[in-house]
Amino acid sequence: MPRATRLLLPLVAGAVSALGFAPLDWWPLTLLGIAVLFWTLDRAPSVRSAAGAGWLFGVGHFTVGLYWIATAFTYQAAMPAFMGVVTVVLLSMFLAIYPALAAGLARAWPRPGISRVLMFAAMWMLCEWLRGHLLSGFAWNPLGAAWLAAGGVALGAAWIGALGLSGLMVVAGGIIGTLRPVTAIACAAAICGVALLTRFAIPAPAPANGPLVHLIQPDIGQDEKYDDSAAHVEKYLALSRAALGPAPHRQSITIWSESAVQDLVAEEPAARAHLASLLSPGDLLLFGGIALIRNPDGTPAEATNSLYVLDADANLLGRYDKSHLVPLGEYVPARPLMTKLGLARLTPGDIDFLAGPGPRTLDLPGFPAAGIQICYEVIFPAAVVDEAHRPAWIVNISNDAWFGAWGPPQHLAQARLRAIEEGLPIARVTPTGISAMIDANGQIIGAIGPHKAASLSLRVPPPHSPTLFARFAHWTSFVLGIALAAGAVAAGRRATRRI
């Protein structure tokens, strides 16, 4: 194979494979990309060459899939917009280490063909798990997320998690990559046909008999977020009053997005009273805001990115503090050094956010208990629910106004995976992006699209009993990975006996 082809082929395959994610959802291209990658590494002259192919694949894959991150830099005066493109490429070059490691380990396995496919799938799952945990973790767009557009295959996340779905994608694509062109086309068509037939396995939505909730999306873009916070609150209030109707009304929960309220509600009774004027007795308002942790002299030391629960008497009944913070977005690692290097954050302010204790369930008087996740916390499998106090549903507030056209649907897709894994419905609210109600099968019951100011009033769908993944978390993915590796060993021995 010419050197230019050996370099270009995996790079293009990686870029093509990312088109299987939302919003395009061209998931057969993900199969194709993996097939080309496996074909390349299976014929690589060395482990190093295979790892290089995996790295090039990762660069193309992450650059296309994560290009929406560049949009964030258009809202940051401290850095020129072109730095967004540079950042995406550099981030992709780093993240590409994980597929490079998987490809190198697969090529090191001495048995080619199906045996190597199975080992590649096991190694891919391992490396994807590492990507979600090392250096704060970045679990965005697991390969298995592409199955969400492919019938009911994604329902398997209830058993094997998103990592397991990624393993299945690698197995399917890898098998195609072992075959001759005509046979490969027939095999790909068969896999796609079977996947589409699994649509019939998706259960019909169960009657929603949970609490009545109002999802409020005011269409406030990132470029106007800090212009007039009081006016933004009034927009939330107006949409909420229209959704609630005249008082007295049925008891319900109104949900606003992350950072919806800039006032320090824990310190300002008047601000709480103004918000509570929306509510009738028995109603609750859940909204994103901040709290300050002050020095002894009263000056701010740190802040929390929080969700508050407010009742009609202006009492704060609960608070959840975001745990999984965004490096350089909500805190600066090694701040003294980073400040000297001139690396500015993408959010304004000179203090860091303080991480909360982790997944937490809030008891809501008169309503089922809710698990809370703020923004991209919801992308981390097995880290969204307090296992000791399982909620009946999950509230995910976010600010997707940063994320361009592709970020919000990808974020929504990962929330859908969490709903399937945990067997819990999710109410998701953003200031502008995609606000939605998701049932416990990951199906979207109702949604407000990007750049729309609207409310969505729905009852929360019922939860499932704890799924296998909810009970055992990543152990289910681990068992699948071991089974794939064992299958690789068995297939390799069988091939040896034939020789």
Side-chain angles (χ1 to χ4, degrees), residues 19-64:
L19 303 181
F21 298 130
L24 298 181
D25 291 324
W26 297 345
W27 61 271
L29 294 184
T30 305
L31 281 172
L32 175 63
I34 293 296
V36 172
L37 173 61
F38 184 81
W39 184 88
T40 304
L41 73 87
D42 203 34
R43 288 161 176 78
S46 66
V47 171
R48 181 178 178 180
S49 177
W55 186 80
L56 289 168
F57 177 93
V59 170
H61 180 80
F62 291 115
T63 298
V64 172

Coordinates of all heavy atoms in Angstrom, one line a residue, residues 19-64:
L19 N -19.8 10.9 11.2 CA -21.1 11.3 10.6 C -22.2 10.4 11.1 O -23.4 10.7 10.9 CB -21.0 11.3 9.1 CG -19.9 12.2 8.5 CD1 -19.9 12.1 7.0 CD2 -20.0 13.6 9.0
G20 N -21.9 9.3 11.8 CA -22.9 8.5 12.4 C -23.5 9.0 13.6 O -24.6 8.5 14.1
F21 N -22.9 10.0 14.2 CA -23.4 10.6 15.4 C -24.5 11.7 15.0 O -24.6 12.1 13.9 CB -22.3 11.3 16.2 CG -21.3 10.4 16.7 CD1 -19.9 10.6 16.5 CD2 -21.6 9.2 17.4 CE1 -19.0 9.8 17.0 CE2 -20.7 8.3 17.9 CZ -19.3 8.6 17.7
A22 N -25.3 12.1 16.1 CA -26.2 13.2 15.8 C -25.4 14.5 15.5 O -24.3 14.6 15.9 CB -27.0 13.4 17.1
P23 N -26.0 15.4 14.7 CA -27.4 15.4 14.2 C -27.6 14.6 12.9 O -28.8 14.4 12.5 CB -27.6 16.9 14.0 CG -26.3 17.4 13.5 CD -25.3 16.6 14.3
L24 N -26.5 14.2 12.2 CA -26.7 13.5 10.9 C -27.3 12.1 11.1 O -28.1 11.6 10.3 CB -25.4 13.5 10.1 CG -24.9 14.9 9.8 CD1 -23.6 14.7 9.0 CD2 -25.9 15.7 9.0
D25 N -26.7 11.4 12.1 CA -27.2 10.0 12.4 C -27.0 9.0 11.2 O -27.8 8.1 11.0 CB -28.7 10.0 12.8 CG -28.9 10.7 14.2 OD1 -28.0 10.5 15.0 OD2 -29.9 11.4 14.4
W26 N -26.0 9.2 10.4 CA -25.7 8.3 9.3 C -24.9 7.1 9.8 O -23.7 6.9 9.4 CB -25.0 9.1 8.2 CG -25.7 10.2 7.6 CD1 -27.1 10.4 7.7 CD2 -25.2 11.3 6.8 NE1 -27.5 11.6 7.0 CE2 -26.3 12.1 6.4 CE3 -24.0 11.6 6.3 CZ2 -26.2 13.3 5.7 CZ3 -23.8 12.7 5.5 CH2 -24.9 13.6 5.2
W27 N -25.5 6.4 10.7 CA -24.8 5.3 11.4 C -24.1 4.3 10.6 O -23.1 3.7 11.0 CB -25.7 4.7 12.5 CG -26.9 4.0 11.9 CD1 -28.1 4.6 11.7 CD2 -27.0 2.7 11.5 NE1 -29.0 3.6 11.1 CE2 -28.3 2.5 11.1 CE3 -26.1 1.6 11.5 CZ2 -28.8 1.2 10.6 CZ3 -26.6 0.3 11.1 CH2 -27.9 0.2 10.6
P28 N -24.7 3.9 9.4 CA -23.9 2.9 8.5 C -22.5 3.4 8.2 O -21.6 2.6 8.0 CB -24.8 2.8 7.3 CG -26.2 3.1 7.8 CD -26.0 4.2 8.7
L29 N -22.3 4.8 8.2 CA -21.0 5.3 7.9 C -20.0 5.0 9.0 O -18.8 4.9 8.8 CB -21.0 6.8 7.6 CG -21.8 7.2 6.3 CD1 -21.7 8.7 6.1 CD2 -21.2 6.4 5.1
T30 N -20.5 4.9 10.2 CA -19.7 4.5 11.4 C -19.2 3.1 11.2 O -18.0 2.7 11.4 CB -20.4 4.6 12.7 OG1 -20.9 6.0 12.8 CG2 -19.5 4.4 13.9
L31 N -20.1 2.2 10.8 CA -19.7 0.8 10.4 C -18.6 0.8 9.4 O -17.6 0.1 9.5 CB -20.9 0.0 9.9 CG -21.9 -0.5 11.0 CD1 -23.1 -1.1 10.3 CD2 -21.3 -1.6 11.9
L32 N -18.8 1.6 8.3 CA -17.9 1.7 7.2 C -16.5 2.2 7.7 O -15.5 1.6 7.3 CB -18.4 2.6 6.1 CG -17.5 2.9 4.9 CD1 -17.2 1.6 4.2 CD2 -18.1 3.9 4.0
G33 N -16.5 3.2 8.5 CA -15.3 3.7 9.0 C -14.5 2.7 9.8 O -13.3 2.6 9.7
I34 N -15.2 2.0 10.7 CA -14.5 1.0 11.5 C -14.0 -0.2 10.6 O -12.9 -0.7 10.8 CB -15.5 0.4 12.6 CG1 -15.8 1.5 13.6 CG2 -14.9 -0.8 13.2 CD1 -14.6 1.9 14.4
A35 N -14.8 -0.5 9.6 CA -14.4 -1.6 8.7 C -13.1 -1.2 8.0 O -12.2 -2.0 7.8 CB -15.5 -1.8 7.6
V36 N -13.0 0.1 7.5 CA -11.8 0.5 6.8 C -10.6 0.5 7.8 O -9.5 0.2 7.5 CB -12.0 1.9 6.2 CG1 -10.7 2.5 5.7 CG2 -13.0 1.8 5.1
L37 N -10.8 1.0 9.0 CA -9.8 1.0 10.0 C -9.2 -0.4 10.3 O -8.0 -0.6 10.3 CB -10.3 1.7 11.3 CG -9.3 1.6 12.5 CD1 -8.0 2.3 12.2 CD2 -9.9 2.2 13.8
F38 N -10.2 -1.3 10.5 CA -9.7 -2.7 10.7 C -9.0 -3.3 9.5 O -7.9 -3.9 9.7 CB -10.9 -3.6 11.1 CG -10.4 -5.0 11.5 CD1 -9.9 -5.2 12.8 CD2 -10.4 -6.0 10.6 CE1 -9.4 -6.5 13.1 CE2 -9.9 -7.3 10.9 CZ -9.4 -7.5 12.2
W39 N -9.5 -3.0 8.4 CA -8.8 -3.5 7.2 C -7.4 -3.0 7.1 O -6.4 -3.7 6.8 CB -9.6 -3.1 5.9 CG -9.0 -3.6 4.6 CD1 -9.3 -4.8 4.0 CD2 -8.1 -2.9 3.8 NE1 -8.6 -4.9 2.8 CE2 -7.9 -3.8 2.7 CE3 -7.4 -1.7 3.9 CZ2 -7.0 -3.4 1.6 CZ3 -6.5 -1.4 2.8 CH2 -6.3 -2.2 1.7
T40 N -7.2 -1.7 7.5 CA -5.9 -1.1 7.5 C -5.0 -1.7 8.5 O -3.8 -2.0 8.3 CB -6.0 0.4 7.7 OG1 -6.9 1.0 6.7 CG2 -4.7 1.1 7.6
L41 N -5.4 -1.8 9.8 CA -4.6 -2.3 10.8 C -4.3 -3.7 10.7 O -3.2 -4.2 11.1 CB -5.1 -1.9 12.2 CG -6.3 -2.7 12.7 CD1 -5.9 -4.0 13.5 CD2 -7.2 -1.9 13.7
D42 N -5.2 -4.5 10.1 CA -5.0 -5.9 9.9 C -3.9 -6.2 8.9 O -3.2 -7.3 9.0 CB -6.3 -6.6 9.5 CG -6.3 -8.1 9.8 OD1 -5.8 -8.5 10.9 OD2 -6.9 -8.8 9.0
R43 N -3.6 -5.2 8.1 CA -2.6 -5.4 7.0 C -1.4 -4.5 7.3 O -0.5 -4.4 6.5 CB -3.2 -5.0 5.7 CG -4.2 -6.0 5.1 CD -5.1 -5.4 4.1 NE -5.9 -6.5 3.5 CZ -7.0 -6.9 4.1 NH1 -7.4 -6.4 5.3 NH2 -7.8 -7.9 3.6
A44 N -1.4 -3.9 8.5 CA -0.2 -3.0 8.8 C 1.0 -3.9 9.0 O 0.9 -5.0 9.6 CB -0.6 -2.2 10.1
P45 N 2.2 -3.4 8.6 CA 3.4 -4.2 8.7 C 3.9 -4.3 10.1 O 4.8 -5.2 10.3 CB 4.4 -3.4 7.8 CG 3.9 -2.0 7.7 CD 2.4 -2.1 7.8
S46 N 3.4 -3.5 11.0 CA 4.0 -3.5 12.4 C 2.9 -3.0 13.3 O 1.9 -2.4 12.9 CB 5.2 -2.7 12.5 OG 5.0 -1.3 12.3
V47 N 3.2 -3.2 14.6 CA 2.3 -2.7 15.6 C 2.3 -1.2 15.6 O 1.3 -0.5 15.7 CB 2.7 -3.2 17.0 CG1 2.0 -2.5 18.1 CG2 2.5 -4.7 17.1
R48 N 3.5 -0.6 15.4 CA 3.7 0.8 15.4 C 2.9 1.4 14.2 O 2.2 2.5 14.4 CB 5.1 1.2 15.2 CG 5.4 2.7 15.2 CD 6.9 3.0 15.1 NE 7.2 4.4 15.0 CZ 8.4 4.9 14.9 NH1 9.5 4.1 14.9 NH2 8.5 6.2 14.8
S49 N 2.9 0.8 13.1 CA 2.2 1.3 11.9 C 0.7 1.2 12.2 O -0.1 2.1 11.8 CB 2.5 0.4 10.7 OG 1.7 0.8 9.6
A50 N 0.2 0.1 12.8 CA -1.2 0.0 13.2 C -1.7 1.1 14.1 O -2.7 1.7 14.0 CB -1.5 -1.4 13.7
A51 N -0.8 1.3 15.1 CA -1.1 2.4 16.1 C -1.2 3.7 15.4 O -2.0 4.6 15.7 CB -0.1 2.4 17.2
G52 N -0.3 3.9 14.4 CA -0.3 5.2 13.7 C -1.6 5.3 12.9 O -2.2 6.4 12.8
A53 N -2.1 4.2 12.3 CA -3.4 4.3 11.6 C -4.5 4.6 12.6 O -5.4 5.3 12.2 CB -3.6 2.9 10.9
G54 N -4.5 4.0 13.8 CA -5.5 4.2 14.8 C -5.5 5.7 15.2 O -6.5 6.3 15.4
W55 N -4.3 6.3 15.3 CA -4.2 7.7 15.7 C -4.7 8.6 14.6 O -5.5 9.5 14.9 CB -2.7 8.0 16.0 CG -2.5 9.4 16.5 CD1 -2.7 9.8 17.8 CD2 -2.1 10.6 15.8 NE1 -2.4 11.2 17.9 CE2 -2.1 11.6 16.7 CE3 -1.8 10.8 14.4 CZ2 -1.8 12.9 16.3 CZ3 -1.5 12.1 14.0 CH2 -1.4 13.1 15.0
L56 N -4.4 8.3 13.4 CA -5.0 9.1 12.3 C -6.5 9.0 12.2 O -7.2 10.0 12.0 CB -4.3 8.7 10.9 CG -2.9 9.1 10.8 CD1 -2.3 8.3 9.6 CD2 -2.7 10.6 10.6
F57 N -7.0 7.8 12.4 CA -8.4 7.6 12.5 C -9.0 8.5 13.6 O -10.0 9.1 13.4 CB -8.7 6.1 12.7 CG -10.2 5.8 12.9 CD1 -10.9 5.4 11.8 CD2 -10.8 5.9 14.1 CE1 -12.3 5.1 11.9 CE2 -12.2 5.6 14.3 CZ -12.9 5.2 13.2
G58 N -8.4 8.5 14.8 CA -8.9 9.2 15.9 C -8.9 10.7 15.6 O -9.8 11.5 16.0
V59 N -7.8 11.2 14.9 CA -7.8 12.6 14.6 C -8.9 13.0 13.7 O -9.6 14.1 13.9 CB -6.4 13.0 13.9 CG1 -6.4 14.4 13.4 CG2 -5.3 12.8 14.9
G60 N -9.2 12.3 12.7 CA -10.3 12.6 11.8 C -11.7 12.4 12.5 O -12.6 13.3 12.4
H61 N -11.8 11.4 13.3 CA -13.0 11.1 14.0 C -13.4 12.2 15.0 O -14.5 12.7 15.0 CB -12.9 9.8 14.8 CG -14.0 9.3 15.5 ND1 -15.1 8.7 15.0 CD2 -14.3 9.4 16.9 CE1 -16.0 8.4 15.9 NE2 -15.5 8.8 17.1
F62 N -12.4 12.6 15.8 CA -12.7 13.6 16.9 C -12.8 15.0 16.3 O -13.6 15.8 16.8 CB -11.7 13.5 18.0 CG -11.8 12.3 18.8 CD1 -10.8 11.3 18.8 CD2 -12.9 12.0 19.6 CE1 -10.9 10.2 19.6 CE2 -13.0 10.8 20.3 CZ -12.0 9.9 20.3
T63 N -12.0 15.3 15.3 CA -12.1 16.6 14.7 C -13.4 16.9 14.1 O -14.0 18.0 14.3 CB -11.0 16.8 13.6 OG1 -9.7 16.7 14.2 CG2 -11.1 18.2 13.0
V64 N -14.0 16.0 13.4 CA -15.3 16.1 12.8 C -16.4 16.1 13.9 O -17.3 16.9 14.0 CB -15.6 15.1 11.7 CG1 -17.1 15.1 11.3 CG2 -14.7 15.3 10.6

